Amino acid sequence: MIFNFSRLQNGAGLMEIPLENTRSVTVLVLFKVGSRYETRDMSGIAHFLEHMHFKGSAKRPSALAISETVDSVGGEMNAFTGKEYTGYYIKVAGEHGELALDVLSDMLINPIFDQTEIDREKGVIIEELRMYEDQPSDMVGEIFENIMFGDTPLGWPTVGKIDSIKSMDRNNFIDFKDKFYGGEDVLIVLAGDVRKLSSSVPEYFSALPKLAKTAPAINNRNHPGYLRMTVKKTEQTHLWLGYRTCSDFDEDRYPLRILSAILGGGMSSRLFISVRERQGLAYYVRSHSENYRDNGYLVAM
């Protein structure tokens, strides 16, 4: 894959991935911050902040105004929050690429953070949390990481906790954004029909502040190894079995991913053939290698 990488004057990275036969373009803005950067009383704020960036900006002061702008050109927009990253993206036809830059930059640089919208969205976030709790196949992963990383930000659920969600106000979002949304911890990615777009990026994103690089506390908890059972009245049992491995900067991550593929990475993998095809014990069975900036794990599920 051919790509070009450069930096804006404020330190933000710019990656351009031209795809000659593609007439659409995706603009992704990725921030190197997620739930493991949080404090206990602000657990869930990285994910909550992601929601609030869609609730109104200087040019488009409501969620409807933002969504209608993208929908009117047949575009797609969404966002995601993980333990270490938060991303926002818009995909549109190539001729609307500059509109995508305008919408994303305005959302991320000039959010309103209206307190009324924050209070309303608290109910949405809490319902999202309850939705995950009603899906054991998702919840088992949260339980596993809590066992693996303990009572630390890396072991807490990304969506947060009800008490901390209820306590958040406008100043909390402003403080978190001002601390993490800028500088060298931002990567702007253009993929697809990018020919007429890359020169416009500084115009839209140069207002991102130039911040010092940040890093979360290192999680070097010694995992003792034990079993945890959570009982819920459902028709199935969901099992994760795994152990600590290495970080995303360790060379061992490559053989670990190959091992994961052999063990449970597809329909010819050993777990799939044995557990599903030969014994018919489960609908899904697979393995996964997860690597964070200071540690990781290999799990079969």
Side-chain angles (χ1 to χ4, degrees):
M1 178 182 293
I2 299 174
F3 68 90
N4 301 308
F5 180 81
S6 60
R7 286 197 181 274
L8 308 186
Q9 289 188 349
N10 57 5
L14 172 60
M15 181 176 289
E16 304 164 64
I17 309 172
L19 302 172
E20 292 184 3
N21 297 320
T22 302
R23 294 189 177 183
S24 64
V25 63
T26 298
V27 181
L28 167 68
V29 184
L30 194 63
F31 296 92
K32 194 169 71 175
V33 61
S35 60
R36 72 170 302 184
Y37 289 72
E38 298 167 350
T39 58
R40 186 183 302 277
D41 61 333
M42 287 290 107
S43 175
I45 193 169
H47 170 255
F48 200 155
L49 177 63
E50 173 218 306
H51 280 229
M52 292 311 303
H53 276 292
F54 288 85
K55 297 300 180 182
S57 61
K59 291 184 180 179
R60 302 166 185 90
S62 69
L64 181 60
I66 292 173
S67 60
E68 279 188 337
T69 301
V70 178
D71 289 346
S72 68
V73 297
E76 173 190 341
M77 68 186 306
N78 213 328
F80 54 88
T81 303
K83 294 293 178 75
E84 295 184 328
Y85 300 97
T86 306
Y88 304 80
Y89 70 87
I90 295 179
K91 180 180 179 180
V92 291
E95 61 264 32
H96 300 301
E98 193 151 344
L99 176 66
L101 288 176
D102 184 52
V103 172
L104 275 177
S105 62
D106 189 39
M107 284 170 50
L108 298 172
I109 298 172
N110 306 305
I112 294 176
F113 294 153
D114 179 73
Q115 187 63 51
T116 301
E117 289 290 346
I118 291 171
D119 293 339
R120 182 183 295 117
E121 195 68 13
K122 289 178 182 181
V124 175
I125 301 290
I126 291 171
E127 289 305 313
E128 182 178 359
L129 185 155
R130 289 169 174 161
M131 178 184 71
Y132 295 142
E133 290 179 344
D134 282 344
Q135 297 173 339
S137 58
D138 290 337
M139 199 62 195
V140 66
E142 297 283 4
I143 296 169
F144 177 85
E145 288 207 335
N146 181 252
I147 295 172
M148 187 65 66
F149 301 118
D151 186 21
T152 69
L154 198 55
W156 300 339
T158 301
V159 72
K161 303 172 184 178
I162 291 179
D163 289 346
S164 59
I165 292 167
K166 287 182 176 179
S167 70
M168 294 175 191
D169 60 27
R170 185 174 188 273
N171 289 331
N172 299 138
F173 292 103
I174 293 172
D175 291 344
F176 195 84
K177 173 183 173 294
D178 288 349
K179 184 175 181 180
F180 295 109
Y181 274 47
E184 295 182 21
D185 289 342
V186 183
L187 178 63
I188 303 161
V189 183
L190 310 177
D193 185 7
V194 305
R195 292 167 297 176
K196 301 178 182 179
L197 205 57
S198 58
S199 61
S200 299
V201 172
E203 174 188 349
Y204 290 100
F205 287 96
S206 61
L208 281 170
K210 189 173 183 178
L211 303 176
K213 290 179 70 65
T214 57
I218 299 298
N219 186 304
N220 55 7
R221 176 176 182 265
N222 181 25
H223 175 243
Y226 58 85
L227 169 71
R228 178 181 296 175
M229 296 181 65
T230 300
V231 179
K232 196 174 182 73
K233 190 175 181 181
T234 63
E235 298 298 321
Q236 293 181 319
T237 297
H238 300 266
L239 170 68
W240 279 38
L241 176 64
Y243 55 90
R244 289 283 284 268
T245 56
C246 64
S247 79
D248 201 33
F249 300 99
D250 195 308
E251 290 295 319
D252 284 341
R253 71 188 186 277
Y254 299 115
L256 272 170
R257 288 169 187 171
I258 295 173
L259 174 62
S260 178
I262 294 170
L263 180 63
M267 294 179 69
S268 65
S269 66
R270 298 182 181 185
L271 278 172
F272 194 93
I273 293 297
S274 175
V275 175
R276 174 167 166 161
E277 294 300 310
R278 292 179 181 165
Q279 301 185 62
L281 295 176
Y283 173 71
Y284 82 85
V285 58
R286 58 184 179 270
S287 62
H288 174 64
S289 179
E290 182 69 68
N291 303 105
Y292 295 116
R293 61 182 295 129
D294 52 358
N295 52 59
Y297 59 81
L298 178 68
V299 62
M301 60 192 85

